[in-house]
Amino acid sequence: MGKYNFIVGITLLLFVSDTFGGSNGKDAIWHSVHNNSYRTAEEIKRDEFRNPEQVLRFFEINETSSVGEVAPGGGWYTHILAPLLKDKGRYVGLQHNPAYYGKWPDWAKKLSAYPEKIKSEQDLYGNNAIGTWLPAVEGLPVEAASLDFVFITRTMHNWQNQGRLENGLKQSWQILKDNGVLAIVQHREDESSTRDREASSKRGRWKQSDLISVIESFGFKLVASSEMNSNINDTKNYEKGVWTLPPSLALKEKDKEVYTKIGESDRMTLKFVKVSS
């Protein structure tokens, strides 16, 4: 081997090692998914269907990113994202806004306490993280053009069902940096379905073509899609909508083995970028 080829080879090896964490590929993303004491055994069981390591790499989220997680819920992705970001990046929890939950005062009270929850758990989140709500009723949840990513998993149907779709997408665009990423994972409706958007959303789903069209109408451009979270066994015709399947199992013991065998829902995974105005 010539001297030039040797140097090029060594340079490439060092680049791969630095980028992917060495020969074992155990970089920060790997550790946030596979070597993370905040994740419970029950959460880890969901990896089979949710593919968190592949999802983060697909969207190109890394430990230096500023990420707004929409509707953190029980914290499944939070327990991956917060430890990943707490030292070099920034975690922003964009919880459901309590202003939309006047009919459910107990839930509204819990949501109102969310920012303090983030402050009180610095071991998980770090001292740079904040908790707020999206969409905000007044102003923006965080500074305009301050986030690299707005990460939305399995909640676009809620935005449609509860009248938050327009404000949610407008504010997502505003808080993202130029060329920032809107990262979407969403339960999928069949394109051949005769259900309209409202009916599909009430069952927890969107047609992929419809969701792309809507999101792009708010100043985003689809740049990549993946089938990593697809499930061909999901027939999408269940009594309790998407919640019939795991992990909700809305029918409890009725046909539990059948739905457990099917697994979690068929999902689209879509990467959009903010287009400058």
Side-chain angles (χ1 to χ4, degrees):
M1 178 184 289
K3 181 178 180 181
Y4 174 77
N5 288 336
F6 176 79
I7 293 172
V8 170
I10 291 296
T11 302
L12 179 60
L13 178 62
L14 290 173
F15 170 78
V16 171
S17 177
D18 181 63
T19 303
F20 296 103
S23 59
N24 292 324
K26 295 182 179 179
D27 61 359
I29 290 175
W30 187 92
H31 281 284
S32 71
V33 174
H34 303 290
N35 184 28
N36 179 345
S37 62
Y38 293 102
R39 304 194 69 205
T40 68
E42 286 301 310
E43 288 173 345
I44 292 169
K45 286 180 181 179
R46 306 263 64 82
D47 288 1
E48 175 186 358
F49 303 106
R50 300 183 180 185
N51 305 295
E53 182 180 353
Q54 296 92 321
V55 165
L56 295 183
R57 296 192 192 281
F58 172 74
F59 291 128
E60 299 182 90
I61 294 171
N62 62 54
E63 67 270 29
T64 66
S65 301
S66 53
V67 181
E69 182 190 7
V70 174
W76 195 90
Y77 255 114
T78 305
H79 293 157
I80 296 172
L81 288 170
L84 174 68
L85 302 170
K86 72 176 181 179
D87 292 328
K88 299 179 181 179
R90 188 189 192 196
Y91 177 86
V92 176
L94 298 170
Q95 188 56 279
H96 293 300
N97 196 317
Y100 289 87
Y101 289 85
K103 295 181 180 179
W104 301 277
D106 290 342
W107 184 233
K109 182 178 179 180
K110 182 177 180 179
L111 294 173
S112 296
Y114 180 69
E116 289 302 318
K117 170 183 168 65
I118 300 293
K119 290 180 182 179
S120 68
E121 298 181 19
Q122 288 194 5
D123 183 57
L124 170 61
Y125 294 99
N127 57 19
N128 195 33
I130 64 167
T132 183
W133 305 286
L134 180 72
V137 175
E138 296 182 5
L140 295 174
V142 292
E143 300 87 355
S146 64
L147 298 181
D148 298 309
F149 297 87
V150 171
F151 184 66
I152 309 178
T153 62
R154 307 182 310 280
T155 199
M156 294 304 295
H157 54 283
N158 289 323
W159 278 13
Q160 168 66 27
N161 292 336
Q162 298 175 358
R164 287 179 276 160
L165 184 64
E166 181 175 354
N167 285 339
L169 287 172
K170 282 183 177 179
Q171 292 186 22
S172 293
W173 189 95
Q174 290 174 293
I175 63 180
L176 278 168
K177 300 174 183 178
D178 286 347
N179 297 312
V181 172
L182 184 69
I184 302 285
V185 179
Q186 176 59 36
H187 310 293
R188 182 161 47 192
E189 179 72 275
D190 284 335
E191 291 292 322
S192 60
S193 172
T194 58
R195 298 186 187 99
D196 61 16
R197 184 188 305 168
E198 182 177 355
S200 290
S201 290
K202 286 181 178 177
R203 298 174 64 83
R205 301 183 186 268
W206 275 77
K207 288 183 180 179
Q208 184 164 325
S209 61
D210 188 29
L211 187 57
I212 292 171
S213 177
V214 169
I215 291 175
E216 289 195 327
S217 73
F218 283 87
F220 296 96
K221 179 182 179 182
L222 180 71
V223 294
S225 63
S226 172
E227 290 300 306
M228 69 178 73
N229 294 310
S230 64
N231 182 356
I232 61 173
N233 297 317
D234 177 9
T235 60
K236 306 179 176 68
N237 59 350
Y238 315 113
E239 180 180 344
K240 296 290 185 179
V242 74
W243 304 280
T244 306
L245 296 175
S248 298
L249 292 170
L251 296 179
K252 306 301 181 185
E253 296 301 316
K254 181 181 177 182
D255 295 325
K256 180 178 179 179
E257 290 185 7
V258 173
Y259 299 125
T260 300
K261 187 175 181 180
I262 291 171
E264 295 195 15
S265 67
D266 176 48
R267 293 165 188 164
M268 62 187 98
T269 304
L270 307 174
K271 181 180 181 180
F272 297 85
V273 295
K274 171 181 175 176
V275 180
S276 299
S277 57

